[in-house]
Amino acid sequence: MESDKRLYLLGNEAIAYSSVEAGLEYASAYPGTPSTEILETLAKLSRKYNFYVEWSVNEKVAFEAAYGAAIAGVKSLVAMKHVGVNVAADPLTTSAYTGVNNSFVIVSADDPSMWSSQNEQDNRYYGLRSYIPVLEPPTPYHIKDVVIEAFKLSEKFRHPFILRSTTRLSHIRVSYEFNEPRRDIHRGPLDIDPARYSVIPAHARRLRVDMLARWSEIERYFNDAWFNWVEGDGDKLIITSGFSYSYVVDAISKLDIGDVKILSLSGMVPLPKKLVLEAVEDVDKVLIVEELEPIIETHIKSLLYDTDVRVEVVGKEIIPLVGELTLDKVLDAIAKWLELDIKSKDLNIDENLPVRPPAFCPGCPHRGTFFSLRKAVNRSGVKPIYSGDIGCYSLAVLPPFKMQDTIVDMGSSIGLANGFAHILPEEYIVVATIGDSTFFHSGITPLLNAVYNKSPILVVILDNRVTAMTGAQPNPGSGYDAGWEETIKIDIKKVVEGLGIEYIAEVDPFKIRESEKIFRDAVEYVRRYRRPAVVIAKRACTLLIAAWARRRGIEIPKYDVDVDKCIKCGICYNNFTCPAIYPDDEGIAHIDPALCVGCGECLDICPTKAFKPVSEWSDEFKSLWW
Amino acid sequence: MEYNILFAGVGGQGIITLGRLIGSALTNSGFNVLMAETHGLSQRGGSVTVHMRVGDVNSPLVPLGGADLLVGLELIEAVRNLGYLSRDGVKIVNDYIMRPSIPKIEIPSREYLINKLREGGGDTYITSFTEYALELGDIIYTNVIILGVITSLDIIPGLTRDSVIEVIGRLKNKEYNLKAFNIGYDIVGEIKMI
């Protein structure tokens, strides 16, 4: 859509383009909102600019792969969402001890307000507690400069750097000027020094001392770096961390409050103490604006105490601890700080409006799987505990399904099920539901544990061939690599067999009746033999298949309702809730042809067989499902 | 200069693509434009908004009561976000209701929602753009028709007919998209709510 010179890019795309300009040679990631588009974009650029990219199996592996590449002497990047860093925390912590032989940039995309996440952890803490410096662009216009700086400084100090982004920065769209990079690809050094990279205790004790020395050097550098600056004048000072600067400058221009001094810290970990002390000289009061945790606030308060500087400092007393910052919140806080008479605003949503939470897409195979699974479990006369997991299928937590009693972290469906299974009385059945990508990420080890410890659980692997929630990225089961080139396809059934599972079945989620029977048999097996069983529900993500069909001009089949047969029972729109099916004022079901994707799941759920195909599946359409 | 737009709709309606078309047209003309998008979980058929800010701005979100224009791709979602609209802000709303996929959900009547639109902001332009799109052969053209309306109103600083036609020309299905754009461009006079 854009002209050649100026691109209009998503923040994550800008991070990717900037990395290429910085000379990136190796990139790995595991998809997770809001980080996914970084590696997706790099995958598209990798051939032209001759660097390596991969979707790794999880964040720990992605981290180690990029870390290894940086030890081997190339400029590398790893990208993940904030909670992904927890998975990678083990190598991350020690990477600061060893350092690297070139640039190693760790992109952490945090999710304040938890738009797509289970918590809103602030990963500046990872930098602080691991001695890894943190850079965060102060505005969308600084993305390129800060990314390139992260690569430069990482190379200069031979030390990992965290580039922190947030949902709003990763998913902002902004103009970007791309400069063709000079590519001098090199392969790493021939010697990797074991005294530095084999972290046995004797080496580690010395490495820790070296690391602390580097940390002091980096702090000194941050005091004078271009990305930490003071602007404006006056006796009132606002200190900002990273992206919160953008809200503060916009708020100040709206408030018309005269002179305010701003200290903008885009490199805030380690805290540039000298710069902070200079900035607070001659001011009467200080406001610290940072999203989420009081990280610089805590350090600045302690610094001022230690240096005996007396000045009023306000932070989390008026800056919300919960949720992302907005211009409105920052306006309110500054008004409060300066005792201005400004009324805070509210969206005041009309109470008569229905909520609209996300739902399974029309034709989503998960809807069929949960529908038949619920029927099977209910008819078995057992009490279910549904141990859920992270992916599109988390949406089964909502009505009408309510089949995710727990969702904690990647792979926790099987992990927690191990605990439930040995504690709950026998009238219960523990059902773990996990997607294909999540299974590869963190489901294999807890399933092995279930076999070894004979945990009586039913594990349902919802295999839709891709990592769907984040926009359909290929994974080890897809048969495609990050650039959608064919590669080895891992058969989940064989993996499960290899782990020692003795009862394995497969279902087609579109065939509701058949699936229900197979699920019932599996429940019976778990109850009788007190061993784990696995059912693989296999159907590609319909959203992806429909998109492919449209792109290739293949007709998408449609279904319709024979209204004379409809008895207004509401099963299709109240219990099955396909978004393509809706009731008219009298309760008769209809199908919206604009939404129907012809999955045919409705055929099996209607007691009077009122649904009928308008057009059959063509051979071409059939061939898209893999 | 600062001009704020809030787009409201349902995940899957193509709200981001509509925003991108406007953002690209403005970027190509040398204007500064920031657009905050919703990705991931919230996209699956849930309520979605896109915030667009044109001019001398640094931060991504439209302040409450600060939108000069509200573009609603669906009636319920348009009403839900009226609080973003400034006192004389313009509304362009698709007269189209999508029932949330929730068991036994009750939704307000079309009349109720349209009356709500009368309460806030300035001029309102409303019609079923979806029907126009279906006449063209696919619901997918809805947003380009709306883009025609926006362009014709000449309310976004820097958004010219030529700049929009240039970005539409780079889309697949160029011919039909241009037809859709012209439909929107030409119906403005007929769809102003009185």
Side-chain angles (χ1 to χ4, degrees), chain A residues 261-318:
Chain A
K261 194 160 138 183
I262 300 176
L263 169 60
S264 170
L265 298 178
S266 300
M268 80 303 290
V269 172
L271 185 74
K273 297 194 198 74
K274 184 171 131 272
L275 184 61
V276 171
L277 287 173
E278 282 164 11
V280 298
E281 266 176 36
D282 309 323
V283 300
D284 294 340
K285 55 201 280 179
V286 178
L287 171 66
I288 297 174
V289 182
E290 61 189 319
E291 209 162 44
L292 300 177
E293 308 297 337
I295 292 176
I296 62 169
E297 181 181 336
T298 308
H299 282 79
I300 289 171
K301 282 176 173 169
S302 121
L303 171 69
L304 297 181
Y305 182 86
D306 288 348
T307 49
D308 214 11
V309 175
R310 293 298 184 87
V311 60
E312 180 198 301
V313 181
V314 177
K316 287 295 156 187
E317 294 89 343
I318 57 173

Coordinates of all heavy atoms in Angstrom, one line a residue, chain A residues 261-318:
Chain A
K261 N 10.2 20.6 33.3 CA 11.4 19.9 32.9 C 11.1 18.4 32.8 O 10.4 17.9 33.6 CB 12.4 20.2 34.0 CG 13.9 19.9 33.6 CD 14.8 20.7 34.6 CE 15.9 19.9 35.0 NZ 16.8 20.6 36.0
I262 N 11.6 17.8 31.7 CA 11.4 16.3 31.6 C 12.8 15.6 31.5 O 13.6 16.1 30.8 CB 10.6 16.0 30.3 CG1 9.2 16.6 30.3 CG2 10.4 14.5 30.2 CD1 8.4 16.4 29.0
L263 N 12.9 14.6 32.3 CA 14.1 13.7 32.1 C 13.5 12.4 31.5 O 12.7 11.7 32.1 CB 14.7 13.4 33.5 CG 15.8 12.2 33.5 CD1 16.9 12.5 32.6 CD2 16.3 12.0 34.9
S264 N 13.9 12.2 30.2 CA 13.4 11.0 29.5 C 14.5 9.9 29.6 O 15.6 10.1 29.1 CB 13.1 11.4 28.1 OG 12.8 10.2 27.3
L265 N 14.1 8.8 30.2 CA 15.1 7.7 30.3 C 14.6 6.5 29.4 O 13.7 5.8 29.7 CB 15.2 7.2 31.8 CG 15.7 8.2 32.8 CD1 15.7 7.6 34.2 CD2 17.1 8.7 32.4
S266 N 15.3 6.4 28.3 CA 15.0 5.3 27.4 C 15.9 4.1 27.7 O 15.7 3.0 27.4 CB 15.2 5.6 25.9 OG 14.3 6.7 25.6
G267 N 17.0 4.4 28.4 CA 17.9 3.4 29.0 C 17.8 3.6 30.5 O 18.4 4.5 31.0
M268 N 16.9 2.8 31.1 CA 16.6 3.1 32.5 C 17.2 2.0 33.5 O 17.2 2.2 34.7 CB 15.1 3.3 32.7 CG 14.2 2.0 32.8 SD 14.3 0.9 31.3 CE 13.5 1.9 30.1
V269 N 17.6 0.9 32.9 CA 18.2 -0.2 33.7 C 19.5 -0.5 33.0 O 19.5 -0.9 31.8 CB 17.3 -1.4 33.7 CG1 18.1 -2.6 34.4 CG2 16.0 -1.2 34.4
P270 N 20.7 -0.2 33.6 CA 20.8 0.4 35.0 C 20.5 1.9 35.0 O 20.6 2.5 34.0 CB 22.3 0.2 35.2 CG 23.0 0.2 33.9 CD 22.0 -0.4 33.0
L271 N 20.0 2.3 36.2 CA 19.6 3.7 36.3 C 20.9 4.6 36.2 O 21.9 4.4 36.9 CB 19.0 3.9 37.7 CG 18.4 5.3 37.9 CD1 17.1 5.5 37.1 CD2 18.2 5.5 39.4
P272 N 20.8 5.6 35.3 CA 22.0 6.5 35.2 C 21.9 7.5 36.3 O 21.3 8.6 36.2 CB 21.8 7.2 33.8 CG 20.3 7.0 33.5 CD 19.8 5.8 34.3
K273 N 22.6 7.2 37.4 CA 22.4 7.9 38.7 C 22.9 9.3 38.6 O 22.3 10.3 39.0 CB 23.2 7.2 39.8 CG 22.7 5.8 40.1 CD 23.2 5.3 41.4 CE 23.1 3.8 41.6 NZ 24.1 3.0 40.8
K274 N 24.1 9.5 37.9 CA 24.6 10.9 37.8 C 23.6 11.8 37.1 O 23.4 12.9 37.5 CB 26.0 10.8 37.0 CG 26.7 12.1 36.9 CD 28.1 11.9 36.3 CE 28.4 12.9 35.2 NZ 28.1 12.5 33.9
L275 N 23.1 11.3 36.0 CA 22.1 12.1 35.2 C 20.9 12.4 36.0 O 20.4 13.6 36.0 CB 21.7 11.3 34.0 CG 20.8 12.0 32.9 CD1 21.5 13.2 32.4 CD2 20.4 11.0 31.8
V276 N 20.4 11.5 36.8 CA 19.2 11.7 37.7 C 19.5 12.8 38.7 O 18.8 13.8 38.9 CB 18.8 10.4 38.4 CG1 17.7 10.7 39.4 CG2 18.3 9.4 37.3
L277 N 20.7 12.7 39.3 CA 21.1 13.7 40.4 C 21.2 15.1 39.8 O 20.8 16.1 40.4 CB 22.4 13.3 41.1 CG 22.2 12.1 42.0 CD1 23.6 11.6 42.5 CD2 21.3 12.4 43.2
E278 N 21.8 15.2 38.5 CA 21.9 16.5 37.9 C 20.5 17.1 37.6 O 20.2 18.3 37.8 CB 22.6 16.4 36.6 CG 24.2 16.3 36.8 CD 24.9 15.8 35.5 OE1 24.2 15.7 34.4 OE2 26.0 15.4 35.6
A279 N 19.6 16.2 37.2 CA 18.2 16.7 36.8 C 17.4 17.2 38.0 O 16.6 18.1 37.8 CB 17.5 15.6 36.0
V280 N 17.6 16.6 39.1 CA 16.8 17.0 40.3 C 17.4 18.2 41.0 O 16.7 18.8 41.9 CB 16.7 15.9 41.3 CG1 15.9 14.7 40.8 CG2 18.0 15.4 41.9
E281 N 18.6 18.6 40.6 CA 19.2 19.9 41.2 C 18.2 21.0 40.9 O 17.7 21.1 39.8 CB 20.5 20.2 40.6 CG 21.7 19.6 41.3 CD 23.0 19.9 40.6 OE1 23.1 20.9 40.0 OE2 23.9 19.0 40.6
D282 N 18.0 21.9 41.8 CA 17.2 23.1 41.6 C 15.7 22.8 41.2 O 15.1 23.7 40.7 CB 17.8 24.0 40.5 CG 19.3 24.2 40.7 OD1 19.6 24.4 41.9 OD2 20.0 24.2 39.8
V283 N 15.2 21.6 41.5 CA 13.7 21.5 41.3 C 13.0 21.3 42.6 O 13.6 20.9 43.6 CB 13.3 20.3 40.3 CG1 14.0 20.5 39.0 CG2 13.7 19.0 40.9
D284 N 11.7 21.7 42.6 CA 11.0 21.7 43.9 C 10.3 20.3 44.1 O 10.1 19.9 45.2 CB 9.9 22.8 43.9 CG 10.5 24.1 43.9 OD1 11.7 24.2 44.3 OD2 9.8 25.1 43.5
K285 N 9.8 19.8 42.9 CA 9.0 18.6 43.0 C 9.3 17.7 41.8 O 9.5 18.2 40.7 CB 7.5 18.9 43.3 CG 6.9 19.8 42.2 CD 5.6 20.4 42.8 CE 4.5 19.4 42.7 NZ 3.2 20.0 43.3
V286 N 9.1 16.4 42.0 CA 9.4 15.5 41.0 C 8.2 14.5 40.9 O 7.7 14.0 41.9 CB 10.7 14.6 41.3 CG1 11.0 13.6 40.2 CG2 11.9 15.5 41.5
L287 N 7.8 14.3 39.6 CA 6.8 13.2 39.3 C 7.4 12.2 38.5 O 8.1 12.5 37.5 CB 5.6 13.8 38.6 CG 4.6 12.8 38.0 CD1 3.8 12.1 39.2 CD2 3.5 13.5 37.1
I288 N 7.3 10.9 38.9 CA 7.8 9.8 38.1 C 6.7 9.1 37.4 O 5.8 8.6 38.0 CB 8.6 8.8 39.0 CG1 9.8 9.6 39.6 CG2 9.1 7.6 38.2 CD1 10.6 8.8 40.6
V289 N 6.8 9.1 36.0 CA 5.7 8.5 35.3 C 6.3 7.2 34.6 O 7.1 7.3 33.7 CB 5.1 9.4 34.2 CG1 4.0 8.7 33.4 CG2 4.6 10.7 34.8
E290 N 5.8 6.1 35.1 CA 6.2 4.8 34.5 C 5.0 3.8 34.5 O 4.3 3.9 35.5 CB 7.5 4.2 35.1 CG 7.3 3.9 36.6 CD 8.7 3.5 37.3 OE1 9.4 2.7 36.6 OE2 8.9 3.9 38.4
E291 N 4.9 3.0 33.5 CA 3.9 2.1 33.3 C 4.2 0.9 34.3 O 5.3 0.5 34.4 CB 3.8 1.6 31.9 CG 2.4 1.2 31.4 CD 2.4 1.2 29.9 OE1 3.3 0.7 29.2 OE2 1.4 1.7 29.3
L292 N 3.2 0.3 34.9 CA 3.3 -0.9 35.7 C 4.1 -0.6 37.0 O 3.8 0.2 37.8 CB 3.8 -2.1 34.9 CG 2.9 -2.5 33.8 CD1 3.5 -3.7 33.0 CD2 1.5 -2.9 34.2
E293 N 5.2 -1.3 37.1 CA 5.9 -1.4 38.5 C 6.7 -0.1 38.7 O 7.3 0.5 37.8 CB 6.8 -2.6 38.5 CG 6.1 -3.9 38.2 CD 5.0 -4.3 39.1 OE1 5.0 -3.8 40.3 OE2 4.1 -5.1 38.7
P294 N 6.9 0.2 40.0 CA 7.7 1.4 40.4 C 9.2 1.1 40.4 O 9.9 1.1 41.4 CB 7.2 1.7 41.8 CG 6.8 0.4 42.4 CD 6.3 -0.4 41.2
I295 N 9.7 0.8 39.2 CA 11.1 0.4 39.1 C 12.1 1.5 39.2 O 12.9 1.5 40.1 CB 11.3 -0.5 37.8 CG1 10.6 -1.8 38.0 CG2 12.8 -0.8 37.6 CD1 10.6 -2.7 36.8
I296 N 12.0 2.5 38.4 CA 12.9 3.6 38.5 C 12.5 4.4 39.8 O 13.4 5.0 40.4 CB 13.0 4.5 37.3 CG1 11.6 5.2 36.9 CG2 13.5 3.8 36.1 CD1 11.8 6.3 35.8
E297 N 11.2 4.4 40.1 CA 10.8 5.2 41.3 C 11.5 4.7 42.6 O 12.1 5.5 43.3 CB 9.3 5.1 41.5 CG 8.8 5.8 42.7 CD 7.2 5.7 42.8 OE1 6.6 5.4 41.8 OE2 6.8 5.8 44.0
T298 N 11.5 3.4 42.7 CA 12.2 2.8 43.9 C 13.7 3.2 43.9 O 14.2 3.5 45.0 CB 12.0 1.3 43.9 OG1 10.6 1.0 43.7 CG2 12.5 0.6 45.1
H299 N 14.3 3.1 42.8 CA 15.7 3.3 42.7 C 16.0 4.8 42.9 O 17.0 5.1 43.6 CB 16.3 2.8 41.4 CG 16.5 1.3 41.5 ND1 15.4 0.4 41.4 CD2 17.6 0.6 41.8 CE1 15.9 -0.8 41.6 NE2 17.2 -0.8 41.9
I300 N 15.2 5.7 42.3 CA 15.5 7.1 42.5 C 15.3 7.5 43.9 O 16.1 8.3 44.5 CB 14.6 7.9 41.5 CG1 15.1 7.7 40.1 CG2 14.6 9.4 41.9 CD1 14.1 8.2 39.0
K301 N 14.2 7.0 44.6 CA 14.0 7.4 46.0 C 15.1 6.9 46.8 O 15.6 7.6 47.7 CB 12.7 6.8 46.5 CG 11.4 7.5 46.0 CD 10.1 6.9 46.4 CE 9.0 7.8 46.1 NZ 7.7 7.1 46.2
S302 N 15.7 5.7 46.6 CA 16.8 5.2 47.4 C 18.0 6.0 47.1 O 18.8 6.4 48.0 CB 16.9 3.7 47.2 OG 18.2 3.4 46.7
L303 N 18.2 6.4 45.8 CA 19.4 7.2 45.4 C 19.3 8.6 46.1 O 20.4 9.1 46.7 CB 19.4 7.4 43.9 CG 20.4 8.4 43.3 CD1 21.8 7.9 43.5 CD2 20.1 8.7 41.8
L304 N 18.2 9.2 46.2 CA 18.0 10.5 46.8 C 18.3 10.4 48.3 O 18.9 11.3 48.9 CB 16.7 11.1 46.5 CG 16.4 11.4 45.0 CD1 15.0 12.0 44.9 CD2 17.4 12.3 44.4
Y305 N 17.8 9.4 48.9 CA 18.1 9.1 50.3 C 19.6 9.0 50.6 O 20.1 9.6 51.5 CB 17.3 7.9 50.8 CG 17.4 7.6 52.3 CD1 16.6 8.2 53.2 CD2 18.4 6.7 52.7 CE1 16.7 8.0 54.5 CE2 18.6 6.5 54.1 CZ 17.7 7.1 55.0 OH 17.9 6.9 56.3
D306 N 20.2 8.1 49.8 CA 21.6 7.9 50.0 C 22.5 9.1 49.8 O 23.5 9.3 50.4 CB 22.1 6.8 49.0 CG 21.6 5.5 49.3 OD1 21.1 5.3 50.4 OD2 21.7 4.6 48.4
T307 N 22.0 10.0 48.9 CA 22.9 11.2 48.6 C 22.3 12.4 49.3 O 22.8 13.5 49.1 CB 22.8 11.5 47.1 OG1 21.5 11.5 46.6 CG2 23.6 10.5 46.3
D308 N 21.4 12.2 50.2 CA 20.9 13.2 51.1 C 20.3 14.4 50.3 O 20.4 15.6 50.7 CB 22.0 13.7 52.0 CG 21.5 14.1 53.4 OD1 20.3 13.8 53.6 OD2 22.3 14.8 54.1
V309 N 19.6 14.1 49.2 CA 18.9 15.1 48.5 C 17.4 15.2 48.9 O 16.8 14.1 48.9 CB 19.0 14.9 46.9 CG1 18.1 15.9 46.2 CG2 20.4 14.9 46.5
R310 N 17.0 16.4 49.4 CA 15.6 16.5 49.9 C 14.7 17.1 48.8 O 14.9 18.3 48.5 CB 15.6 17.3 51.1 CG 16.2 16.7 52.3 CD 15.5 15.3 52.7 NE 16.1 14.8 53.9 CZ 15.7 15.0 55.1 NH1 14.8 15.9 55.3 NH2 16.3 14.5 56.1
V311 N 13.9 16.3 48.2 CA 12.9 16.9 47.2 C 11.7 16.0 47.2 O 11.8 14.8 47.5 CB 13.6 17.0 45.8 CG1 14.0 15.6 45.3 CG2 12.7 17.6 44.8
E312 N 10.6 16.6 47.0 CA 9.3 15.8 47.0 C 9.2 15.0 45.8 O 9.3 15.5 44.6 CB 8.1 16.8 47.1 CG 6.8 16.2 47.1 CD 5.7 17.1 46.7 OE1 5.5 18.2 47.4 OE2 5.0 16.9 45.7
V313 N 9.1 13.6 45.9 CA 9.0 12.7 44.8 C 7.6 12.0 44.9 O 7.3 11.4 45.9 CB 10.1 11.7 44.8 CG1 10.0 10.8 43.6 CG2 11.5 12.4 44.8
V314 N 6.9 12.1 43.8 CA 5.6 11.4 43.7 C 5.6 10.4 42.5 O 6.2 10.7 41.5 CB 4.4 12.4 43.5 CG1 3.1 11.7 43.4 CG2 4.4 13.4 44.7
G315 N 5.1 9.2 42.7 CA 5.0 8.3 41.6 C 3.7 7.5 41.7 O 2.7 8.0 41.3
K316 N 3.9 6.3 42.1 CA 2.7 5.3 42.1 C 1.6 5.8 43.1 O 0.5 5.2 43.0 CB 3.2 3.9 42.5 CG 4.0 3.3 41.4 CD 3.1 3.0 40.1 CE 3.9 2.9 38.9 NZ 3.1 2.8 37.7
E317 N 1.8 6.9 43.8 CA 0.7 7.4 44.6 C -0.4 7.9 43.7 O -1.6 7.8 44.0 CB 1.2 8.6 45.5 CG 2.1 8.2 46.6 CD 3.6 8.3 46.1 OE1 3.8 8.3 44.9 OE2 4.5 8.3 47.0
I318 N 0.0 8.4 42.5 CA -1.0 8.9 41.5 C -0.9 8.3 40.1 O -1.8 8.5 39.3 CB -0.9 10.5 41.4 CG1 0.4 10.9 41.0 CG2 -1.3 11.1 42.7 CD1 0.5 12.4 40.7

